[in-house]
């Protein structure tokens, strides 16, 4: 390496912990044009009124809707978010000091981690995890500590649910030390679809309080929860508001992932750190998109307790797709885990392993080999779940594949046709 190349190489704090699965699998999809159940995006339109409102705002006579807005959040949007979450957490939330809007939930996570983690601070991350958690912690100089959710032993013919993936209480307690600064909780969980029960959340909360630890609660799938499960916001548990930053997402709330608008809410003294990161990196967000989302939230607030509220109807819409995928994957010999929330499903594909020659694929982990083989040979793409684990624990996930079922029904039927034709 030349002297100039050595001087300008990637700083060590930014060195990737692993290859980025999205870059690799988006390119794989581009090359082979499979039916893509890997990428976590809906493939049909969001609610009509959402896109109609966007068109109206784009043509609005108010020219200021096309200029910079308030840096910590568009006034109309933070007001709507305050009304919504004050109602849900049963305490008043100050729209000026206790809410920050961000460029997607991704930036909310980044601002929270960079704003609160210092050199040597330890951060507990539950596996599987959204793959940005680990590099963000390392970028801040922190030390990630991992604990996996493990599938309980079940009777041979029992179909597992995401609730059967649990944390070992003693193992979790053993991770807390005087150096622990944060715990990152994803609830409802991606990719398992686990909706944490009150007892599980209370155990986490008790440990956070005992060790004076902050909780980042990534709740972007908060509205996609299947009956009879209930989403419990950990910030509502006794003593947790003062130590919790909760993160939400327009992309998941209104099924518009390309709009890249998120938010964080919590006590003002904790939000201040996020504001400092935000104002010195992103500064402000997209004004017209924030206006549209504010109008959408105002509309949904009017019917929040009714079935016609989109936040309530989305789960009824998706549970049909979930159950269809469970049936199809089971019929072809896989062992799916039935998700309690979200729109992803993991399935154990290894009952089919003896019928597949994966020797053409050279990746270390079997789930990478399987998903690439399926993409290239059957034209059906999933995602390898080991991408959501640290290197130490990837072996826990290599028997599984992740599929997204937030797709047109005809595309789910096509996936069924592909799998059944292969098995016939």
């Amino acid at each position: 390496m030349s002297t100039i190349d050595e001087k300008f190489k990637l700083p060590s704090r930014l060195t990737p912990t692993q290859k980025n699965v999205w870059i690799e699998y988006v390119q794989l999809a581009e090359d082979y044009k499979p039916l893509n159940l890997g990428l976590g995006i809906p493939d049909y339109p969001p609610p009509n009124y959402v896109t109609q409102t966007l068109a109206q705002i784009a043509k609005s006579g108010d020219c200021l809707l096309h200029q910079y807005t308030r840096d910590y959040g568009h006034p109309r949007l933070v007001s709507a978010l305050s009304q919504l979450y004050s109602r849900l957490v049963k305490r008043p939330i100050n729209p000026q000091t206790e809410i920050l809007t961000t460029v997607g939930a991704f930036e909310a996570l980044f601002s929270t981690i960079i704003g609160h983690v210092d050199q040597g601070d330890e951060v507990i991350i539950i596996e599987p995890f959204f793959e940005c958690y680990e590099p963000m912690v390392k970028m801040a100089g922190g030390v990630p500590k991992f604990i996996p959710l493990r599938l309980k032993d079940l009777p041979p013919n029992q179909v597992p649910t995401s609730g059967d993936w649990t944390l070992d209480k003693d193992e979790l307690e053993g991770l807390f030390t005087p150096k622990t600064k944060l715990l990152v909780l994803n609830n409802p969980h991606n990719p398992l679809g686990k909706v944490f029960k009150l007892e599980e959340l209370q155990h986490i909360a008790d440990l956070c309080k005992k060790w004076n630890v902050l909780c980042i609660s990534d709740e972007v799938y908060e509205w996609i929860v299947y009956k009879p499960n209930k989403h419990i916001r950990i910030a509502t548990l006794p003593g947790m508001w003062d130590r919790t930053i909760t993160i939400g997402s327009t992309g998941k709330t209104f099924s518009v992932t390309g709009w890249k608008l998120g938010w964080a809410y919590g006590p003002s003294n904790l939000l201040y750190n996020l504001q400092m990161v935000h104002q010195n990196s992103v500064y402000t967000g997209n004004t017209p998109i924030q206006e549209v989302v504010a109008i959408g939230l105002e509309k949904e607030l009017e019917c929040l307790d009714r079935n016609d509220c989109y936040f309530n109807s989305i789960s009824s819409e998706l549970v049909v797709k979930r159950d269809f995928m469970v049936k199809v994957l089971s019929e072809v010999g896989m062992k799916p885990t039935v998700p309690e929330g979200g729109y992803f499903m993991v399935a154990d594909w290894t009952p089919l392993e003896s019928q597949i020659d994966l020797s053409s694929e050279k990746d270390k982990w079997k789930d990478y080999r399987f998903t690439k083989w399926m993409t290239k040979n059957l034209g059906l793409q999933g995602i390898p779940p080991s991408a959501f684990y640290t290197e130490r624990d990837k072996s826990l996930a290599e028997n599984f594949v992740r599929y997204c079922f937030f797709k047109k029904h005809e595309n789910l039927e096509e996936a069924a046709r592909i799998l059944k034709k292969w098995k016939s």
Side-chain angles (χ1 to χ4, degrees):
M1 181 180 288
S2 69
T3 302
I4 192 167
D5 288 340
E6 177 67 25
K7 184 174 183 179
F8 296 109
K9 70 179 183 180
L10 191 69
S12 58
R13 70 181 183 281
L14 299 181
T15 302
T17 55
Q18 58 183 323
K19 58 187 176 183
N20 187 291
V21 66
W22 307 115
I23 293 174
E24 184 177 14
Y25 274 69
V26 166
Q27 186 60 54
L28 192 66
E30 180 66 26
D31 293 341
Y32 289 90
K33 305 295 189 292
L35 176 61
N36 194 340
L37 301 189
L39 199 59
I41 58 173
D43 66 356
Y44 57 92
N48 284 335
Y49 82 84
V50 174
T51 51
Q52 289 168 359
T53 304
L54 177 61
Q56 292 166 7
I57 294 302
K59 298 175 182 178
S60 170
D62 184 355
C63 64
L64 293 181
L65 289 175
H66 300 284
Q67 308 305 326
Y68 294 133
T69 188
R70 175 177 173 270
D71 50 355
Y72 297 153
H74 187 54
R76 187 171 184 177
L77 177 55
V78 294
S79 175
L81 288 168
S82 171
Q83 293 176 59
L84 174 63
Y85 288 110
S86 294
R87 186 168 167 180
L88 294 173
V89 303
K90 296 180 172 55
R91 64 175 298 135
I93 297 178
N94 187 315
Q96 303 302 312
T97 61
E98 296 183 322
I99 296 174
L100 173 70
T101 65
T102 56
V103 181
F106 209 97
E107 192 233 319
L109 287 163
F110 179 83
S111 294
T112 303
I113 292 171
I114 297 297
H116 280 282
V117 176
D118 211 339
Q119 194 73 30
D121 287 342
E122 295 179 354
V123 178
I124 297 172
I125 298 175
I126 298 169
E127 297 175 305
F129 57 87
F130 189 42
E131 77 284 350
C132 71
Y133 295 170
E134 181 182 8
M136 286 181 181
V137 169
K138 290 185 173 180
M139 196 181 304
V143 180
K145 298 290 185 178
F146 301 96
I147 178 170
L149 289 157
R150 291 186 172 89
L151 182 59
K152 295 188 296 189
D153 291 331
L154 300 171
N157 296 324
Q158 182 174 329
V159 177
T161 74
S162 53
D164 294 317
W165 293 73
T166 60
L167 294 171
D168 181 286
K169 288 186 175 182
D170 293 335
E171 184 179 4
L172 179 60
E173 290 172 12
L175 287 182
F176 283 80
T177 76
K179 293 183 179 180
T180 307
K181 185 70 161 291
L182 290 175
L183 178 142
V184 186
L185 172 69
N186 181 203
N187 181 37
H189 186 274
N190 170 24
L192 297 178
K194 179 180 176 67
V195 176
F196 284 78
K197 304 299 185 287
L198 177 59
E199 179 187 359
E200 296 173 303
L201 294 174
Q202 190 63 64
H203 183 62
I204 291 170
D206 289 344
L207 290 170
C208 287
K209 288 184 288 185
K210 176 182 178 180
W211 290 94
N212 193 25
V213 168
L214 301 182
C215 178
I216 303 176
S217 193
D218 179 352
E219 300 185 10
V220 298
Y221 298 98
E222 61 188 316
W223 299 111
I224 306 175
V225 176
Y226 307 114
K227 295 178 180 178
N229 301 286
K230 301 288 186 182
H231 175 53
I232 300 170
R233 294 169 173 81
I234 196 169
T236 64
L237 299 188
M240 286 303 291
W241 169 259
D242 292 334
R243 61 179 66 256
T244 302
I245 297 168
T246 306
I247 291 170
S249 162
T250 291
K252 307 306 187 294
T253 298
F254 287 107
S255 307
V256 285
T257 60
W259 287 15
K260 291 300 292 178
L261 173 62
W263 50 81
Y265 66 88
S268 58
N269 62 308
L270 299 184
L271 263 288
Y272 176 79
N273 296 35
L274 283 65
Q275 293 169 342
M276 294 303 99
V277 177
H278 176 82
Q279 75 178 30
N280 292 301
S281 55
V282 173
Y283 171 58
T284 190
N286 184 308
T287 306
I289 291 293
Q290 291 192 72
E291 178 78 5
V292 173
V293 173
I295 294 170
L297 290 173
E298 291 165 359
K299 173 180 171 61
E300 298 301 336
L301 273 163
E302 294 175 357
C303 57
L304 192 60
D305 297 324
R306 304 201 309 257
N307 290 335
D308 59 332
C309 175
Y310 184 67
F311 302 165
N312 299 324
S313 66
I314 184 65
S315 297
S316 299
E317 174 186 333
L318 289 177
V319 73
V320 178
K321 299 176 184 294
R322 179 199 72 170
D323 293 347
F324 179 82
M325 280 297 292
V326 169
K327 181 175 182 290
V328 168
L329 294 174
S330 298
E331 287 176 348
V332 299
M334 294 192 201
K335 295 180 178 178
T337 291
V338 182
E340 301 164 317
Y343 47 68
F344 298 106
M345 181 179 301
V346 297
D348 183 348
W349 59 270
T350 55
L352 308 176
E353 189 170 7
S354 63
Q355 304 169 41
I356 310 170
D357 181 5
L358 300 180
S359 61
S360 59
E361 303 300 333
K362 305 305 180 185
D363 291 81
K364 178 179 180 180
W365 304 106
K366 285 193 301 183
D367 56 337
Y368 274 85
R369 299 200 297 271
F370 172 73
T371 49
K372 289 182 179 180
W373 185 91
M374 291 283 284
T375 300
K376 297 173 184 178
N377 293 278
L378 297 187
L380 179 64
Q381 187 175 68
I383 291 293
S386 66
F388 304 105
Y389 288 76
T390 191
E391 188 71 19
R392 182 197 71 185
D393 292 333
K394 286 185 182 297
S395 61
L396 298 175
E398 62 177 340
N399 290 350
F400 294 88
V401 57
R402 190 198 80 167
Y403 292 118
C404 173
F405 54 86
F406 199 161
K407 307 293 180 182
K408 297 175 185 175
H409 192 68
E410 55 262 39
N411 283 337
L412 297 180
E413 289 180 324
E414 176 62 12
R417 188 196 66 77
I418 290 170
L419 289 168
K420 290 178 179 178
K421 181 179 179 182
W422 169 52
K423 285 293 295 171
S424 64

